[in-house]
Amino acid sequence: MHCVTAEVIHQEVVHGGYRVLQLRAPDLVPHVQPGQFVHVRVPHMEAAVLRRPFSVYKADGDVLQILYKGVGKGTRTMTFLAPGDTLSLLGPLGHGFPTLQPGNDPILIAGGYGMAALYLLARQLPVKGVAFFGGRSAPDILCVPEFEALGWDVRIATEDGSLGTAGRVTVLMDDWWAARSHDAAHVEAYACGPNGMLQAVAARAQQHDWTAWVSVDRNMGCGVGACLTCVLKTRTPEGDWVWQRSCTEGPVFDSRQIVWDAEGAS
Amino acid sequence: MHCVTAEVIHQEVVHGGYRVLQLRAPDLVPHVQPGQFVHVRVPHMEAAVLRRPFSVYKADGDVLQILYKGVGKGTRTMTFLAPGDTLSLLGPLGHGFPTLQPGNDPILIAGGYGMAALYLLARQLPVKGVAFFGGRSAPDILCVPEFEALGWDVRIATEDGSLGTAGRVTVLMDDWWAARSHDAAHVEAYACGPNGMLQAVAARAQQHDWTAWVSVDRNMGCGVGACLTCVLKTRTPEGDWVWQRSCTEGPVFDSRQIVWDAEGAS
Amino acid sequence: MADLQVSIGALKMKTPVMVASGTFGYGPEYAQLVDLNQLGAIVVKGIASEPTKGNPPPRTFETPSGLLNAIGLPNPGVEGFITEYLPFLRQHTVPVVVNIWGRTIEEYVAVARRLSEADGVHALEVNVSCPNIKEGSALFGTDLDAFTRVVEAVRAATTLPLIPKLAPNVADIGAFARAAENAGADGISLINSLPAMAVNIETRRPELGNGTGGLTGAAIHPFAVKMVWEAARAVQIPVIGIGGITNARDALEFLIVGAHAVAVGTASFTDPNTALDVTAGIADYLDRHGYPSVDALRGTLKWER
Amino acid sequence: MADLQVSIGALKMKTPVMVASGTFGYGPEYAQLVDLNQLGAIVVKGIASEPTKGNPPPRTFETPSGLLNAIGLPNPGVEGFITEYLPFLRQHTVPVVVNIWGRTIEEYVAVARRLSEADGVHALEVNVSCPNIKEGSALFGTDLDAFTRVVEAVRAATTLPLIPKLAPNVADIGAFARAAENAGADGISLINSLPAMAVNIETRRPELGNGTGGLTGAAIHPFAVKMVWEAARAVQIPVIGIGGITNARDALEFLIVGAHAVAVGTASFTDPNTALDVTAGIADYLDRHGYPSVDALRGTLKWER
Ligand SMILES: Cc1cc2nc3c(=O)[nH]c(=O)nc-3n(C[C@H](O)[C@H](O)[C@H](O)COP(=O)(O)OP(=O)(O)OC[C@H]3O[C@@H](n4cnc5c(N)ncnc54)[C@H](O)[C@@H]3O)c2cc1C
Ligand SMILES: Cc1cc2nc3c(=O)[nH]c(=O)nc-3n(C[C@H](O)[C@H](O)[C@H](O)COP(=O)(O)OP(=O)(O)OC[C@H]3O[C@@H](n4cnc5c(N)ncnc54)[C@H](O)[C@@H]3O)c2cc1C
Ligand SMILES: Cc1cc2nc3c(=O)[nH]c(=O)nc-3n(C[C@H](O)[C@H](O)[C@H](O)COP(=O)(O)O)c2cc1C
Ligand SMILES: Cc1cc2nc3c(=O)[nH]c(=O)nc-3n(C[C@H](O)[C@H](O)[C@H](O)COP(=O)(O)O)c2cc1C
Ligand code: FES
Ligand code: FES
């Protein structure tokens, strides 16, 4: 974990308002595990006291990349960043994705920036499988050529049908499961995306006895476990529940651990 | 008085950290009187609730120019403004310089941005005379060729002697006065600069029976007379004193009106 | 289009958005920039029975998302106000609320009585909470008995709609709200500026000529929302929400927690048209969400505990 | 180089810059980023006699130059703290101040007594001012009698340096400061967060899971400076200035108005190294201005009235 000043090398629009920001962060890059995130102090936002969390999309050499979309104050301010600008970067933070248990069959499920959040994992996993990508519309589907280049079988669903199957990504998943041979290997799912999607993955994991690792998106304060902002309701072995910090114990949790009630995972 | 969105046309460094900012403000320009100011909402300074006041340096066609130096938060943020950026401009504000009484002999006394604040007046005055420019060092002396081009006899003093006479501008003024024929016309002085300079001018006006108009620099809130931030202690005909608003009754005052005590003109 | 009209007792306003005392002068100052008749009401700078000079400068100091001020209530006195400013204000249709203050109960009563005879005054706002007065007036804002006495005395002196303005630096704002209601107030307004100070570390002197001052602006908005929520739950009379409004969202928060109307203060300095922009934003919100009126939105906070 | 050491009773600190309760966890959280031993002291998140889960999310919400929080004092309980965190803290030389709270006086006493037996606790900060507790604990902060009783009871239960932390939402902070001094406190700290709230205008629900919360950060700094100034003038015991410190200038303001030490809160979230940057800035200032020590600067505000 480091707090460094990173220089903007490049910023470009992917499509649909998504941008890739390239930062020079030699001290961070070597330590990044798939599923970890960085906490960004957005420059020129003097009235903001909080950093903004972003999954690490790529981390190679001394360059760290973030894929993001301008949705609010901070991310919109980030769209003005230009080469030569500097910003403070805290990371890598959080517990990322565990590696695949030998013999398991991996699947990926992603929505929105989740595709970026799964990229490092997708590259690192020793076995490739099916990657289910969902979004509202075609521009929300990202990184497809990259995942295909890694050997993933990318299947796409958009709610408006503008790309791939019309509907939710869960439909694709259900079809895939239905068509799957019943003595195939144990499924290990890795998911990142909107809460509803994660909950749907968790439900299937429960039903079909998959292992499912979900990366949750909670508002964050400190990012390091000190402020207790980012908590998520999780089950204890004793049948009780506790709040766990998604910045520290997460953002990746075993889906069976999570209590999916309104208060706990809203 | 208008509140408009103005576009940045150009920004350039003059020297010594002074910059000229050119703004497209067609609704304002025609109304500007010499000595008036504009109140600028500095963009990208979201934690600032106040505008920043600047004298109008030039106003021609639809272009309004400001000459300023990055001294604090707002002015330093302004240095990043680039063509195409927009900002909110309120003005023209305040009571500017009155024109010369016929038969009087005008002199100008300026320090720092005061040279810019006097430029429109210098251009408009029907008779030209001596312009006394003072500053800490050579880079603080601005606009000399422009004043000379208008026909002014510019005399320069710098405290470190790096340009013109070494010392305060008052020394130049005193020498000029001593050498002046005693039956010459009544002197009408126009001054803008640091408070100490204005007070020195006022003292000479008092002593030598000049008319002196001084443009004071007070912290401002609203800029339009509503908040009562910018007040200055002034004499009443009855021998009492009242606070007057430098944004409304000023920034230009008859030097005899001002009570130069610590509280009133600090 | 939704009905924007609201009433504070007999004070009828075309919109719920007023401009706050001390931040909009006496009317003429912003008249070239803002169509005064589109404001819900104009609350003028505090008026006392006699002219007052106010504090030495510096009188304001910028802080993070806020403003510190110690203007010190300079004013032309009630007679000066009536002769210098009321004729101008009478040329407009905007309701005029006069903010009044005094050093003693007698001074409050005197200015209230005089304004009640004047033509063109539509309501009185009683400033008991200005932190910049030395002579004990500050006490009116934080001592429940003194507060009650001054409101009762002014109530007896005027039939104009009466709006005590509460001081925010108290532990139990509901108690002051109820005291105002029991004393016969037609409404209450809050919050006034929050006592605060800043120090110049090079000179080691306060940044304000008066030493301490009042904090206002966006910085205090979340604090003001809580205060207004508590006050609105404590009383039946209308509440005017004030503090840190810079946009329609901020104003809507006040309405949702129970305010009848709002007033824009410091933000007018940043952008003179804030009050009218806020008004447009409220109208738009009401239409988008299908509220027939401001009153229909009022106090609709979803919160059980 | 100026002497940065300061003392709050028997609590000796190498620098006057602490980290505030609830903003720095229990020690390990920032240990990879900040050299803990360079801090004046570490004040850990509030500890109660029993483990507590805290409030439902959202627990924080960003406001202009500020932060609203309603964490709700989750903690592992005093036993949990002693076994899970004290061993880690004991490996460091930084003094450990434990912030304690309870729902009843008995609970305060229990946690104070237990911590007094533990090895590695250097002082107790008594949180009477957390706005996020329902069971009447809030009262301890704003009712002078209840406040006095809890401080007296904790005083009787421990010989550790005792630092009551004052609630800011009172009219007369000096009275609470004096009550703490009279009850035998070794110092006082202030301010805790300011009660506040924000509303989501689309859902019409509070932005915080708990409804209301506490405002902190740069927004409240000028308010905190005034409070600390008043408290420091009211008592002889040391005062710890807290509220909105983001840089050395902010901290120096507290020292100049009379604080012995300061604590950095919310700003650690923005930049984990704020406390150490502030320390360096204070050292530099003292040297530049020729002060031999922090104590020499303390209370040097130039202000007569
Ligand atoms: C572990 C993690 C990884 C993330 N990775 C990415 C990524 O790779 N790409 C990407 O585009 N986005 C990512 N996000 C979401 C991203 O953090 C938010 O979009 C961003 O914080 C919004 O900030 P804003 O100032 O633009 O929005 P505002 O709404 O103005 O922000 C106000 C506050 O709410 C918080 N907030 C708002 N939306 C979110 C959100 N969805 N999640 C968390 N906090 C939020 C902000 O951090 C800020 O504190 C991630 C979030 C988490 C928790
Ligand atoms: C009528 C008038 C005309 C002016 N004309 C010019 C000009 O043509 N060129 C130029 O460079 N400067 C001019 N100034 C000064 C200019 O307004 C300040 O330099 C500027 O406000 C500093 O803002 P800041 O945010 O950079 O400084 P900060 O110190 O960060 O500002 C903090 C606050 O103090 C106020 N403040 C700080 N310094 C001054 C100052 N010297 N005068 C007034 N307010 C101040 C700011 O407006 C702001 O409210 C003029 C001032 C006045 C009153
Ligand atoms: C410069 C200034 C002067 C003020 N003068 C008065 C006043 O005369 N009487 C009064 O009751 N309130 C006065 N106030 C307080 C405002 O009316 C308002 O209550 C406060 O500013 C909070 O609102 P805001 O955060 O929107 O500014 C003044 C505020 C400012 C900033
Ligand atoms: C997230 C958060 C949690 C806090 N938890 C506690 C706490 O447990 N006990 C306490 O006394 N104060 C707590 N505080 C208050 C801080 O210690 C401090 O008094 C306050 O934040 C003001 O300082 P600041 O403006 O520098 O943040 C908390 C503050 C924040 C922001
Ligand atoms: S964000 Fe602070 S504990 Fe997770
Ligand atoms: S700046 Fe507001 S009255 Fe002059």
Side-chain angles (χ1 to χ4, degrees):
Chain A
M1 195 192 301
H2 296 269
C3 189
V4 300
T5 301
E7 189 191 326
V8 174
I9 301 171
H10 187 68
Q11 159 140 262
E12 74 186 329
V13 178
V14 185
H15 55 56
Y18 287 91
R19 281 158 204 264
V20 171
L21 184 65
Q22 297 188 7
L23 300 165
R24 192 180 316 282
D27 295 334
L28 261 66
V29 172
H31 307 287
V32 175
Q33 300 295 321
Q36 285 192 302
F37 68 97
V38 288
H39 218 20
V40 174
R41 174 125 174 76
V42 182
H44 307 300
M45 199 169 54
E46 51 163 350
V49 299
L50 295 182
R51 290 170 176 256
R52 303 295 192 258
F54 297 95
S55 302
V56 177
Y57 169 36
K58 292 181 178 170
D60 292 296
D62 60 1
V63 180
L64 188 144
Q65 298 189 38
I66 288 169
L67 191 152
Y68 76 99
K69 189 173 176 169
V71 295
K73 243 186 333 164
T75 46
R76 273 197 288 266
T77 305
M78 283 167 64
T79 64
F80 295 107
L81 288 169
D85 290 347
T86 58
L87 49 77
S88 170
L89 207 60
L90 178 57
L93 301 174
H95 258 85
F97 292 104
T99 38
L100 193 71
Q101 287 298 313
N104 279 357
D105 210 2
I107 61 172
L108 309 178
I109 306 103
Y113 73 78
M115 296 156 211
L118 292 178
Y119 177 79
L120 282 182
L121 174 81
R123 197 171 69 178
Q124 188 180 291
L125 284 179
V127 184
K128 317 295 174 184
V130 184
F132 300 98
F133 284 6
R136 188 104 52 85
S137 188
D140 298 312
I141 306 300
L142 305 158
C143 315
V144 176
E146 280 146 296
F147 277 73
E148 288 178 342
L150 292 173
W152 289 88
D153 170 7
V154 180
R155 308 205 184 161
I156 296 166
T158 54
E159 287 176 40
D160 68 358
S162 54
L163 196 70
T165 308
R168 297 265 169 95
V169 76
T170 42
V171 178
L172 293 181
M173 246 160 58
D174 293 342
D175 291 350
W176 168 81
W177 177 254
R180 199 161 179 273
S181 129
H182 282 268
D183 52 4
H186 182 72
V187 169
E188 197 161 348
Y190 299 88
C192 184
N195 204 47
M197 174 187 275
L198 300 184
Q199 202 169 342
V201 170
R204 278 154 190 80
Q206 172 85 14
Q207 203 184 338
H208 309 317
D209 190 32
W210 303 347
T211 300
W213 304 103
V214 299
S215 176
V216 299
D217 179 355
R218 314 287 289 166
N219 280 25
M220 286 189 183
C222 65
V224 301
C227 75
L228 310 179
T229 288
C230 60
V231 296
L232 188 77
K233 219 181 229 184
T234 60
R235 279 176 239 287
T236 60
E238 300 80 36
D240 194 6
W241 63 269
V242 289
W243 295 115
Q244 286 200 66
R245 298 165 299 183
S246 61
C247 69
T248 315
E249 284 85 40
V252 176
F253 291 92
D254 180 330
S255 72
R256 279 165 301 207
Q257 260 194 289
I258 301 176
V259 182
W260 296 97
D261 66 7
E263 192 181 78
S266 56
Chain B
M1 196 193 302
H2 297 270
C3 189
V4 302
T5 301
E7 191 191 326
V8 174
I9 301 171
H10 187 67
Q11 160 141 263
E12 72 186 332
V13 178
V14 184
H15 55 58
Y18 287 91
R19 281 157 205 266
V20 170
L21 183 66
Q22 296 189 8
L23 300 164
R24 194 179 314 282
D27 296 335
L28 261 64
V29 172
H31 307 287
V32 175
Q33 299 295 320
Q36 285 191 304
F37 68 97
V38 289
H39 219 19
V40 173
R41 175 126 173 75
V42 182
H44 308 300
M45 200 170 51
E46 50 162 351
V49 300
L50 296 182
R51 290 171 176 254
R52 301 294 190 261
F54 297 93
S55 302
V56 177
Y57 168 35
K58 292 181 178 170
D60 291 298
D62 59 1
V63 180
L64 189 143
Q65 299 188 38
I66 288 169
L67 191 153
Y68 76 99
K69 189 171 175 169
V71 294
K73 243 186 335 166
T75 45
R76 272 197 287 266
T77 305
M78 283 167 64
T79 64
F80 295 107
L81 289 170
D85 290 346
T86 58
L87 49 76
S88 170
L89 208 59
L90 177 58
L93 300 174
H95 258 84
F97 292 103
T99 38
L100 194 72
Q101 287 298 312
N104 279 357
D105 210 2
I107 61 171
L108 308 178
I109 306 103
Y113 73 78
M115 296 157 210
L118 292 178
Y119 177 78
L120 283 182
L121 174 81
R123 196 170 71 180
Q124 188 180 291
L125 285 180
V127 183
K128 318 294 175 188
V130 184
F132 300 98
F133 285 7
R136 187 105 50 88
S137 189
D140 298 312
I141 306 300
L142 305 158
C143 313
V144 176
E146 281 146 293
F147 277 72
E148 287 179 342
L150 292 172
W152 289 87
D153 171 7
V154 180
R155 308 205 184 160
I156 297 167
T158 53
E159 287 176 40
D160 68 357
S162 54
L163 197 71
T165 307
R168 296 265 170 94
V169 76
T170 39
V171 177
L172 293 181
M173 246 161 58
D174 292 343
D175 290 350
W176 168 81
W177 177 254
R180 200 161 178 272
S181 126
H182 282 268
D183 52 1
H186 182 72
V187 170
E188 196 160 350
Y190 299 89
C192 183
N195 203 50
M197 173 187 276
L198 301 184
Q199 202 170 340
V201 170
R204 278 150 189 84
Q206 172 86 13
Q207 201 184 336
H208 309 318
D209 190 33
W210 304 347
T211 299
W213 304 103
V214 299
S215 177
V216 299
D217 178 356
R218 312 289 289 167
N219 279 25
M220 286 189 182
C222 66
V224 302
C227 74
L228 310 178
T229 289
C230 61
V231 294
L232 188 77
K233 218 181 230 185
T234 61
R235 280 175 236 287
T236 60
E238 299 80 36
D240 195 7
W241 64 269
V242 290
W243 295 115
Q244 285 201 67
R245 298 166 298 184
S246 61
C247 70
T248 315
E249 283 86 40
V252 176
F253 291 91
D254 181 330
S255 72
R256 280 164 301 209
Q257 262 194 287
I258 300 175
V259 182
W260 297 97
D261 65 9
E263 191 181 78
S266 56
Chain C
M1 192 177 129
D3 180 3
L4 294 185
Q5 291 177 79
V6 296
S7 302
I8 314 285
L11 172 67
K12 310 281 175 214
M13 305 195 291
K14 280 196 298 189
T15 87
V17 186
M18 319 164 70
V19 284
S21 178
T23 64
F24 218 78
Y26 300 105
E29 296 84 355
Y30 276 111
Q32 283 182 55
L33 296 164
V34 181
D35 181 354
L36 304 185
N37 293 337
Q38 289 192 49
L39 297 170
I42 186 167
V43 186
V44 301
K45 172 86 187 150
I47 295 291
S49 50
E50 298 299 324
T52 316
K53 282 184 167 155
N55 289 330
R59 287 178 166 186
T60 57
F61 180 73
E62 202 178 46
T63 68
S65 299
L67 183 69
L68 205 51
N69 90 78
I71 307 293
L73 296 172
N75 77 100
V78 67
E79 294 304 331
F81 171 70
I82 289 171
T83 54
E84 286 172 47
Y85 296 108
L86 264 188
F88 171 88
L89 289 164
R90 275 197 300 266
Q91 291 163 24
H92 297 78
T93 56
V94 62
V96 174
V97 179
V98 181
N99 179 279
I100 63 169
W101 64 277
R103 290 188 187 80
T104 61
I105 293 192
E106 292 67 38
E107 285 186 21
Y108 275 102
V109 167
V111 62
R113 192 162 281 152
R114 182 67 188 91
L115 287 167
S116 306
E117 300 158 358
D119 183 16
V121 176
H122 300 87
L124 299 183
E125 183 180 55
V126 187
N127 179 8
V128 291
S129 46
C130 178
N132 306 328
I133 289 294
K134 288 278 145 59
E135 288 89 337
S137 170
L139 217 82
F140 291 127
T142 55
D143 179 310
L144 200 55
D145 289 338
F147 174 76
T148 305
R149 280 200 305 277
V150 73
V151 178
E152 282 173 348
V154 176
R155 176 72 293 172
T158 187
T159 56
L160 286 171
L162 188 66
I163 307 167
K165 183 169 182 181
L166 308 191
N169 50 323
V170 298
D172 182 6
I173 196 76
F176 286 81
R178 278 188 298 271
E181 183 170 47
N182 292 338
D186 296 283
I188 52 174
S189 63
L190 70 164
I191 61 172
N192 210 317
S193 57
L194 190 60
M197 83 187 288
V199 176
N200 184 311
I201 64 161
E202 299 304 326
T203 63
R204 284 183 287 113
R205 293 183 175 282
E207 293 279 11
L208 294 177
N210 186 54
T212 65
L215 184 63
T216 66
I220 65 166
H221 183 253
F223 171 68
V225 172
K226 166 110 190 306
M227 284 271 161
V228 168
W229 185 48
E230 291 195 351
R233 287 189 304 171
V235 294
Q236 302 295 319
I237 52 173
V239 174
I240 300 167
I242 314 177
I245 296 178
T246 60
N247 54 41
R249 214 174 55 74
D250 298 332
L252 286 160
E253 289 190 58
F254 282 129
L255 301 176
I256 291 170
V257 301
H260 274 66
V262 298
V264 172
T266 306
S268 292
F269 302 156
T270 322
D271 183 348
N273 257 291
T274 305
L276 298 186
D277 291 347
V278 165
T279 310
I282 291 173
D284 178 60
Y285 175 92
L286 294 173
D287 289 346
R288 257 191 307 119
H289 290 77
Y291 290 100
S293 65
V294 175
D295 286 343
L297 174 68
R298 188 181 63 247
T300 60
L301 181 75
K302 293 189 195 157
W303 185 246
E304 296 77 35
R305 279 187 274 179
Chain D
M1 192 177 131
D3 180 3
L4 294 184
Q5 292 178 78
V6 296
S7 304
I8 315 286
L11 172 68
K12 309 282 174 213
M13 305 195 292
K14 280 195 299 189
T15 88
V17 186
M18 321 165 68
V19 284
S21 178
T23 64
F24 218 77
Y26 299 106
E29 298 82 356
Y30 277 110
Q32 283 181 55
L33 296 165
V34 181
D35 180 355
L36 304 185
N37 292 338
Q38 289 192 50
L39 297 170
I42 188 168
V43 187
V44 301
K45 172 85 186 151
I47 295 291
S49 49
E50 298 298 324
T52 316
K53 284 185 165 152
N55 289 328
R59 286 178 167 187
T60 57
F61 180 74
E62 201 179 45
T63 67
S65 299
L67 183 68
L68 206 51
N69 90 79
I71 307 292
L73 295 173
N75 77 100
V78 66
E79 294 305 332
F81 170 71
I82 289 171
T83 54
E84 286 172 47
Y85 296 107
L86 264 188
F88 171 87
L89 289 164
R90 275 198 299 266
Q91 291 163 24
H92 296 79
T93 57
V94 63
V96 175
V97 180
V98 182
N99 179 280
I100 64 169
W101 64 275
R103 291 189 186 80
T104 61
I105 293 192
E106 292 67 37
E107 286 186 19
Y108 275 101
V109 167
V111 62
R113 193 160 282 152
R114 182 69 187 89
L115 288 166
S116 306
E117 300 158 0
D119 183 17
V121 175
H122 301 86
L124 299 182
E125 183 180 55
V126 187
N127 179 8
V128 291
S129 45
C130 178
N132 306 327
I133 289 293
K134 289 279 145 56
E135 289 90 333
S137 170
L139 217 81
F140 289 126
T142 56
D143 180 310
L144 200 55
D145 289 339
F147 173 77
T148 305
R149 280 200 303 277
V150 72
V151 179
E152 282 173 349
V154 177
R155 175 71 295 171
T158 187
T159 56
L160 286 171
L162 188 67
I163 308 166
K165 183 169 181 180
L166 308 191
N169 51 322
V170 297
D172 182 6
I173 196 76
F176 286 82
R178 278 188 298 270
E181 182 171 48
N182 293 337
D186 297 283
I188 52 174
S189 63
L190 70 164
I191 62 173
N192 209 317
S193 58
L194 191 60
M197 82 188 286
V199 176
N200 183 313
I201 64 162
E202 298 304 325
T203 63
R204 283 183 288 114
R205 294 185 176 281
E207 294 278 11
L208 293 177
N210 185 54
T212 62
L215 185 63
T216 65
I220 66 167
H221 183 254
F223 171 67
V225 172
K226 167 110 188 309
M227 283 273 163
V228 168
W229 184 48
E230 292 196 351
R233 287 189 302 169
V235 295
Q236 303 294 320
I237 52 174
V239 174
I240 300 167
I242 314 177
I245 296 178
T246 61
N247 53 42
R249 215 176 53 75
D250 299 332
L252 286 160
E253 289 189 59
F254 281 129
L255 300 177
I256 291 169
V257 302
H260 273 66
V262 299
V264 171
T266 305
S268 292
F269 303 157
T270 322
D271 183 349
N273 258 291
T274 305
L276 297 187
D277 291 346
V278 166
T279 310
I282 290 172
D284 178 59
Y285 175 91
L286 294 174
D287 288 346
R288 258 192 306 121
H289 290 77
Y291 291 100
S293 65
V294 175
D295 286 344
L297 174 68
R298 189 179 64 247
T300 58
L301 181 75
K302 293 189 197 158
W303 184 247
E304 296 77 36
R305 278 187 277 180

